[in-house]
Amino acid sequence: MSIPTHVLPIFPLPRVVFPTEPVPLHIFEPRYQALVADCLACEEEGRPAEFVISFREDDNLARIGCTLRITHILRSYPDGRLDLMSAGLRRCRLGEVREGETYDRVEVDALADTEQDWDEVLATRAYSLHRRLLEQFSGKPPDEQEYSGQAALSWLIAPSAGLSLPQQQALLEITSENERLRALVRHCTELVARVQDIQSTGQQVQAAWELRRLTRSGAGS
C-alpha cells in the first residue's frame, strides 16, 4: 500500500524490524516513554499511531526502516517503564530527521516492491529449508499453518533465519520478493549444512567420551 510522505516518531535501535514481525520492547528512557504515550493518545483519538524503527550502528542510521504500531502493553512499572508488544507494518525510506524536545521525528516514504508476484517453486524451496532449519534446533518442524496467509513469505522467514544484522538490513532493502527468497534460500542452505556438521561433530565427541567412560568403568570393575 502506498503512503504519502509524512513525519513519524523514530526509535533508532541496534536491530532490524521486518513487516509483520512481532517486536517486544522494553521502554525505559523518558523520551521513548513520551513517544509511546503520544502513540497511544493518537490511537485513542482514531489518528495514525505509527512509529519507525531503523537500524543504528554507532552513529550510522540506516535509511530504510520499518513502521510499527503498538499492539498491547504487557506491563507498566511504577517508575514509568513499560514492556509492550508491537508489530512491523511496512518498510519506509527515511528522509530528514527532525530533532524534538522529547524525541525525534523523521520524514518517511513507503518503499514498495517493484514486482507483486513470486515464483512458487522458489517459495516452496525457502519454506522447506526454513522448516528444516527450525526442526534441527527444536526437534520438530513448525506447523504448516504458520506459513499460510502470508502476503510475502520472506518477511515471515527472515526474523528466524539466523541472519546477521547486516544481512537483515540488506534483505529489508531488497524490493523483490523473489530476490529476497533467493537470498534466504542461499543462506538457509548454508546454515542447514553447518548445523548438520556441528551435530555430527557433537555426536562424535559424545561417542568418544562415552567410550572412554565405559572403558575406564570396565577396567575398574
Side-chain angles (χ1 to χ4, degrees):
M1 183 177 74
S2 176
I3 57 175
T5 300
H6 59 300
V7 180
L8 293 176
I10 183 169
F11 195 166
L13 284 175
R15 68 160 297 167
V16 177
V17 173
F18 297 102
T20 75
E21 180 182 2
V23 182
L25 293 171
H26 176 64
I27 309 298
F28 59 92
E29 291 187 53
R31 56 179 169 168
Y32 296 124
Q33 292 174 13
L35 184 155
V36 169
D38 287 349
C39 284
L40 294 175
C42 286
E43 192 170 77
E44 289 179 358
E45 297 169 4
R47 294 185 288 123
E50 299 179 16
F51 63 100
V52 176
I53 285 182
S54 184
F55 175 48
R56 182 176 65 186
E57 188 174 29
D58 299 325
D59 292 329
N60 298 316
L61 182 68
R63 306 316 297 180
I64 303 297
C66 187
T67 64
L68 297 90
R69 65 179 178 87
I70 299 168
T71 57
H72 55 283
I73 303 297
L74 299 172
R75 182 178 179 183
S76 299
Y77 297 86
D79 60 2
R81 290 178 297 132
L82 293 166
D83 292 332
L84 61 85
M85 184 63 70
S86 60
L89 294 177
R90 61 184 69 85
R91 289 176 302 172
C92 59
R93 190 185 306 276
L94 276 61
E96 179 185 357
V97 176
R98 302 180 184 179
E99 295 185 359
E101 293 183 4
T102 50
Y103 55 84
D104 295 341
R105 296 174 179 267
V106 64
E107 295 180 357
V108 296
D109 288 302
L111 179 64
D113 278 348
T114 56
E115 56 184 11
Q116 300 302 316
D117 297 327
W118 59 86
D119 184 273
E120 291 294 340
V121 174
L122 183 60
T124 300
R125 178 63 175 156
Y127 154 82
S128 300
L129 281 165
H130 185 248
R131 294 186 78 235
R132 185 176 177 186
L133 181 64
L134 291 177
E135 183 177 12
Q136 286 179 315
F137 288 108
S138 67
K140 61 179 181 180
D143 190 336
E144 293 182 1
Q145 294 301 316
E146 296 288 340
Y147 296 84
S148 63
Q150 298 297 318
L153 181 62
S154 62
W155 299 145
L156 173 70
I157 293 176
S160 54
L163 297 164
S164 67
L165 285 172
Q167 288 173 323
Q168 290 179 18
Q169 183 62 35
L171 192 78
L172 184 69
E173 297 182 9
I174 296 174
T175 57
S176 162
E177 175 68 355
N178 282 335
E179 289 304 313
R180 289 193 297 268
L181 290 173
R182 289 189 185 95
L184 287 167
V185 165
R186 289 193 298 269
H187 173 79
C188 288
T189 298
E190 295 173 359
L191 187 54
V192 164
R194 291 206 303 270
V195 173
Q196 286 177 333
D197 288 342
I198 292 171
Q199 290 174 334
S200 177
T201 301
Q203 291 170 356
Q204 294 174 21
V205 169
Q206 184 176 7
W209 180 252
E210 289 297 321
L211 178 60
R212 180 179 181 85
R213 186 181 64 81
L214 292 172
T215 301
R216 293 186 65 180
S217 176
S221 60

